[in-house]
Amino acid sequence: MSNLIRPGPFLRRVLFADAAVSAGVGALMAAGAAPLQGLLGLPAALLELAGLSLFPYAAYLIWIATRRAVPRAAVWVPIVLNVVWAADCLFVAFGGAYDPNRIGIGFLALHIVTVLAFAELEFTGLRRAAVAAQQGSASGAR
């Protein structure tokens, strides 16, 4: 079996949606870290760093979504990172290192639900993706 897949329309839409949400939330967290600190009970430095980390992630998702064919592992990357993000949010909420207030807990819970939904949708899209022919190019633009 080839390790290259052709992302179908469903997977492309999910990847673009994940990229848009990630970039939007990243901008909100990075630019609004100081006001969010008081609202959420989370340190501004954590919010800013987490927000900035979402920009390269969003760019990677766009890169995958615009390729004709990609290695199967390239789609596993956002699936795994979304699950890791959910685990990180659980740690921030309940790990004891931070003390988010109720709004902060809700903010983190929204992250958890959203990223796990994207992970599931990306996994579904990966299962639906057609295997690319052996001569397919993983780096070829759409």
Side-chain angles (χ1 to χ4, degrees), residues 82 85-87 89-90 93-94 107-117:
N82 276 323
W85 190 273
C89 287
L90 276 172
F94 304 111
F107 179 76
L108 293 165
L110 183 59
H111 276 255
I112 293 166
V113 169
T114 302
V115 300
L116 290 179

Side-chain angles (χ1 to χ4, degrees), residues 11 18 21 24-25 43 54 62 69 74 89 99 105 122-123 129 133 142:
L11 180 55
D18 193 355
V21 169
V25 171
L54 291 173
I62 292 167
C89 287
D99 190 26
I105 297 285
E122 288 157 354
F123 180 68
R142 194 173 162 216

Side-chain angles (χ1 to χ4, degrees), residues 22-38 40-57 85 92 98 107-108 111:
S22 297
V25 171
L28 172 70
M29 290 169 57
L36 284 174
Q37 176 177 338
L40 305 175
L42 293 168
L46 174 68
L47 292 165
E48 184 175 8
L49 180 61
L52 290 173
S53 75
L54 291 173
F55 294 120
Y57 174 71
W85 190 273
V92 170
Y98 303 99
F107 179 76
L108 293 165
H111 276 255

Side-chain angles (χ1 to χ4, degrees), residues 1-138:
M1 172 166 26
S2 172
N3 73 340
L4 290 180
I5 60 150
R6 288 186 317 239
F10 175 80
L11 180 55
R12 290 182 197 284
R13 285 192 299 269
V14 171
L15 292 168
F16 280 128
D18 193 355
V21 169
S22 297
V25 171
L28 172 70
M29 290 169 57
L36 284 174
Q37 176 177 338
L39 180 66
L40 305 175
L42 293 168
L46 174 68
L47 292 165
E48 184 175 8
L49 180 61
L52 290 173
S53 75
L54 291 173
F55 294 120
Y57 174 71
Y60 178 76
L61 294 171
I62 292 167
W63 180 83
I64 296 171
T66 58
R67 301 300 97 185
R68 184 175 313 138
V70 295
R72 183 175 298 279
V75 181
W76 274 106
V77 169
I79 294 168
V80 170
L81 289 177
N82 276 323
V83 172
V84 168
W85 190 273
D88 288 345
C89 287
L90 276 172
F91 174 75
V92 170
F94 304 111
Y98 303 99
D99 190 26
N101 58 30
R102 287 184 182 189
I103 296 172
I105 297 285
F107 179 76
L108 293 165
L110 183 59
H111 276 255
I112 293 166
V113 169
T114 302
V115 300
L116 290 179
F118 276 125
E120 174 61 28
L121 291 169
E122 288 157 354
F123 180 68
T124 299
L126 178 61
R127 284 185 311 181
R128 292 181 181 177
V131 174
Q134 290 294 335
Q135 66 270 22
S137 170

